[in-house]
């Protein structure tokens, strides 16, 4: 750590990991409810658990991105953060708002929560991923503005690099597209149309810029390759991302009442979306192969390489699988979608946040060359356990999805009722649940690795 103020990222990273644990616990609850329908009924209904699982995911990733920015922007800008106090204050605002929101989901019925929080004044609730009460959404905007001010001023007053510029564009885009969460037209087609401007233009647009910039930062540090080389790659990657991803939004406009031409625009452009993800894989491996130094933090390098591979598999390959309109006609909203959602979110955004934590935390704890060997070995175990678990969760859900389509959606082989088809694929849901437990073990090991004491004789 070169600048004192980088330390404000520490609470952000700790909160991120804490909420990650919560996310996985609710995933496991839901996974069990899939096969034991009345598990925890009526205390935690499936729809509530789903909301908590997905919202915690988004919130902890946002904590991770903010932590990443607070860590890498001072180093890139070669100056202290504009206001570490503001960063710490906003941390608590965000954490308390997030905790209250989750408690609201768990303790009162959703409609009461809507009434209590004045949803009728400015209705924004009730849409997947955007379930937060309107006041929480306003809180998010306040936090985002303060955060952007802090990061923006640091960049403006300091050294300007491609990495900080790309990250800043990504973060501003993240805030701008969130504003569509406040637009909730009565017309359902319009509602869905703009809902994707937040959801799709985040993960297949501006978040990819954040991903690219964090990856580039860590690769510069662990490989010692010239900044100029890495910057050229970054330019190419973000250009490809935006060219394919923006019009690629059309892959969500096939069946929601939008004009038919979206079937072509959506299919063609989104079919090209795997290219920037593939470029990231080639980029990461190339840089590590051309490295000019041996960095002691092997675990962070492993996470960086892993991100590039898993993002390509989850977003690129599993996205492509169902992105052409004639295929999506059959697979839309099945377990194929869930399979892709899990591997893409894990591979791209979960892994990049862990990458920067893995790099930055040891540095902030006085170990610039990474943790000792024992801790790193444990961390690498957690890498493999979580990553292999998500691969298997994806494979089981893909199998479930293929069967689901076959049983339920193909008139020649039988248009079985939904619940009957679900019964037939229960085996895969059991396997998903067991694999989910392996994932949890990996996560526990990850946390444990922070507390490993090294053998003083060897260290
Ligand atoms: C890291 C990037 C990505 C993430 C995190 C992600 C995540 C998701 C999630 C969570 C959904 C489900 C949304 C919902 O209906 O609630 C989804 C849907 C979808 N994604 Fe992605 N995705 C990513 C990249 C891609 C890419 C690159 C492609 C295409 C090559 C793609 C193709 C699709 C399609 C076609 C759907 C709609 C599925 C349906 O009709 O049910 N995704 N994605
Ligand atoms: C880092 C790991 C994980 C990530 C990133 C993640 C992400 C997600 C996302 C994005 C969705 C919404 C999917 C969609 O709308 O298509 C979802 C739903 C779900 N997740 Fe996870 N999840 C993770 C781990 C788990 C685990 C370990 C389990 C359980 C074993 C689990 C069980 C579920 C279930 C049951 C749903 C609901 C699917 C449905 O509505 O049919 N998740 N998760
Ligand atoms: Fe999309």
């Amino acid at each position: 750590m070169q600048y004192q103020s980088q330390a404000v990222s520490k609470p952000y990273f700790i909160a991120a990991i804490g909420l990650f644990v919560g996310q996985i616990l609710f995933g496991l609850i839901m996974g069990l409810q899939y096969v034991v329908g009345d598990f925890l009924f009526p205390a935690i209904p499936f729809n509530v658990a789903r909301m908590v699982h997905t919202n915690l995911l988004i919130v902890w990733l946002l904590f991770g991105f903010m932590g990443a920015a607070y860590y890498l922007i001072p180093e890139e800008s070669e100056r202290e953060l504009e206001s570490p106090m503001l960063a710490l204050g906003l941390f608590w605002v965000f954490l308390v708002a997030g905790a209250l929101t989750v408690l609201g989901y768990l303790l009162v019925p959703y409609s009461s929560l809507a009434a209590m929080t004045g949803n009728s004044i400015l209705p924004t609730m009730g849409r997947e991923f955007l379930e937060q009460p309107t006041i929480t959404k306003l809180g998010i905007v306040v936090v985002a503005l303060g955060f952007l001010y802090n990061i923006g001023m640091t960049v403006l007053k300091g050294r300007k690099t491609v990495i900080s510029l790309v990250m800043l564009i990504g973060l501003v885009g993240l805030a701008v597209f969130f504003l569509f969460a406040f637009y909730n037209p009565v017309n359902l087609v319009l509602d869905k149309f703009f809902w994707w401007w937040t959801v799709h233009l985040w993960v297949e647009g501006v978040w990819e810029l954040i991903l690219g910039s964090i990856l580039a930062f860590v690769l510069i540090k662990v490989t010692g390759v010239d900044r100029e080389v890495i910057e050229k790659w970054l330019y190419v990657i973000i250009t490809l991302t935006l060219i394919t991803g923006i019009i690629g939004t059309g892959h969500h406009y096939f069946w929601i009442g939008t004009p038919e031409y979206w079937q072509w625009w959506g299919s063609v452009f989104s079919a090209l979306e795997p290219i920037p993800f593939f470029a990231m894989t080639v980029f990461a491996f190339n840089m590590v192969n051309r490295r000019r130094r041996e960095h002691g933090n092997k675990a962070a390098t492993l996470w960086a390489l892993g991100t590039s591979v898993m993002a390509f598999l989850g977003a690129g390959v599993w996205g492509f699988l169902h992105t052409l309109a004639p295929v999506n006609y059959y697979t839309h909203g099945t377990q194929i979608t869930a399979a892709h959602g899990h591997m893409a979110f894990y591979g791209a955004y979960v892994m990049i946040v862990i990458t920067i934590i893995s790099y930055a935390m040891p540095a902030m704890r006085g170990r610039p060359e990474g943790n000792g060997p024992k801790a790193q070995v444990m961390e690498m175990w957690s890498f493999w356990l979580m990553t292999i678990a998500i691969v298997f969760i994806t494979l089981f859900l893909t199998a479930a999805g293929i069967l689901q389509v076959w049983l339920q959606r193909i008139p020649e082989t039988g248009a079985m009722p939904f619940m009957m088809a679900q019964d037939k694929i229960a085996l895969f849901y059991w396997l998903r649940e067991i694999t989910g437990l392996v994932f949890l073990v990996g996560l526990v090991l990850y946390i444990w690795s922070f507390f490993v004491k090294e053998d003083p004789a060897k260290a």
Side-chain angles (χ1 to χ4, degrees):
M1 193 173 74
Q2 297 170 8
Y3 297 89
Q4 281 300 319
S5 53
Q6 287 178 287
V8 296
S9 60
K10 211 169 174 182
Y12 281 86
F13 290 150
I14 294 171
I17 296 171
L19 298 174
F20 185 16
V21 175
Q23 182 222 328
I24 296 308
L25 293 179
F26 279 88
L28 287 167
I29 291 175
M30 261 193 297
L32 196 53
Q33 289 174 336
Y34 247 81
V35 279
V36 182
D38 54 5
F39 176 65
L40 286 185
F41 180 83
I44 305 180
F46 179 85
N47 62 314
V48 172
R50 193 181 197 287
M51 209 157 54
V52 175
H53 179 64
T54 52
N55 287 346
L56 281 179
L57 167 69
I58 303 299
V59 168
W60 84 256
L61 292 178
L62 293 179
F63 268 112
F65 292 165
M66 289 195 271
Y70 287 133
Y71 186 83
L72 69 79
I73 291 292
E75 214 162 295
E76 286 292 300
S77 307
E78 292 184 334
R79 69 185 291 269
E80 296 288 351
L81 195 64
E82 177 73 9
S83 168
M85 284 297 288
L86 178 63
L88 277 179
L90 291 176
F91 168 79
W92 287 107
V93 174
F94 198 40
L95 190 66
V96 170
L100 285 178
T101 303
V102 170
L103 284 178
Y105 291 161
L106 289 170
L107 298 179
V108 286
Y110 192 68
S111 57
S112 315
L113 185 65
M116 280 162 57
T117 54
N119 189 54
S120 52
I121 304 167
L122 175 60
T124 67
M125 293 173 73
R127 296 167 300 162
E128 194 198 353
F129 291 113
L130 306 180
E131 291 96 344
Q132 311 81 27
T134 306
I135 45 170
T136 306
K137 291 197 181 84
L138 289 171
I140 295 175
V141 171
V142 171
V143 171
L145 285 176
F147 165 72
L148 286 177
Y149 164 80
N150 215 349
I151 294 295
M153 291 308 281
T154 312
V155 171
L156 281 177
K157 289 185 185 169
R159 178 177 70 149
K160 291 157 195 75
T161 67
V162 176
I163 290 183
S164 46
L165 187 70
V166 170
M167 177 171 239
L168 195 58
I169 298 174
L171 293 169
V172 169
L174 188 158
V176 168
F177 288 116
F178 182 67
L179 295 179
F180 287 92
F182 290 93
Y183 180 55
N184 190 3
V186 178
N187 180 320
L188 206 56
V189 177
L190 276 180
D191 174 14
K192 278 279 137 186
F193 189 92
F194 287 107
W195 179 81
W196 286 110
W197 284 35
T198 304
V199 176
H200 168 102
L201 290 177
W202 266 7
V203 299
E204 289 155 73
V206 289
W207 283 28
E208 263 180 82
L209 308 196
I210 302 172
L211 163 62
S213 59
I214 301 177
L215 191 61
F217 175 82
V218 174
L219 286 174
I220 287 186
K221 301 290 164 182
V222 298
T223 66
V225 170
D226 278 348
R227 183 175 280 277
E228 290 70 33
V229 180
I230 287 188
E231 286 173 345
K232 276 181 198 138
W233 274 94
L234 194 54
Y235 275 131
V236 173
I237 287 168
I238 66 162
T239 308
L240 289 169
T241 295
L242 295 176
I243 290 176
T244 59
I246 296 175
I247 301 178
T249 319
H251 65 181
H252 302 294
Y253 295 163
F254 297 155
W255 334 111
I256 64 168
T258 40
E260 218 171 281
Y261 56 73
W262 280 115
Q263 302 208 359
W264 283 98
W265 288 106
S267 298
V268 171
F269 278 83
S270 70
L272 301 174
E273 281 184 46
I275 299 173
F277 283 102
F278 187 64
M280 267 188 251
T281 320
V282 178
F283 166 53
F285 277 85
N286 230 311
M287 294 308 108
V288 172
N289 284 335
R290 289 165 58 174
R291 69 184 173 275
R292 289 173 159 189
R293 58 168 300 200
E294 290 297 330
H295 197 283
N297 196 338
K298 300 275 180 253
T301 314
L302 179 64
W303 281 109
L305 290 175
T307 306
S308 76
V309 173
M310 294 301 292
F312 172 64
L313 285 180
V317 177
W318 255 261
F320 182 79
L321 212 62
H322 58 163
T323 207
L324 300 175
V327 177
N328 193 265
Y329 179 73
Y330 290 98
T331 60
H332 182 54
T334 60
Q335 294 299 327
I336 307 265
T337 308
H340 155 66
H342 279 85
M343 191 145 71
F345 256 114
Y346 174 79
Y349 301 116
V350 169
M351 289 184 85
I352 195 63
V353 168
I354 302 188
T355 301
I356 185 73
I357 295 182
S358 230
Y359 174 76
M361 273 303 232
M364 284 191 279
R365 298 168 82 199
R367 297 167 214 140
E369 285 293 309
N371 285 325
K374 262 190 184 167
Q376 286 205 39
V377 167
M378 184 176 288
E379 192 179 337
M380 291 190 197
W381 267 96
S382 82
F383 169 93
W384 288 109
L385 280 175
M386 285 196 274
T387 304
I388 292 174
I390 218 77
V391 166
F392 274 91
I393 288 177
T394 306
L395 290 174
F396 292 140
L397 290 180
T398 306
I402 292 171
L403 274 170
Q404 186 185 4
V405 170
W406 181 255
L407 294 171
Q408 196 188 313
R409 296 213 172 156
I410 301 186
E412 295 82 52
T413 53
M416 198 182 269
F418 178 83
M419 286 312 287
M420 209 184 273
Q422 291 296 310
D423 247 5
K424 301 267 182 220
I425 54 182
L427 172 66
F428 292 104
Y429 294 141
W430 276 112
L431 293 171
R432 180 258 303 265
E433 183 68 355
I434 295 164
T435 319
L437 288 170
V438 176
F439 190 97
L440 181 66
V441 172
L443 179 55
V444 169
L445 273 190
Y446 178 69
I447 296 171
W448 197 342
S449 76
F450 285 79
F451 300 98
V452 170
K453 295 265 178 297
E454 297 294 332
D455 209 342
K458 285 187 200 154

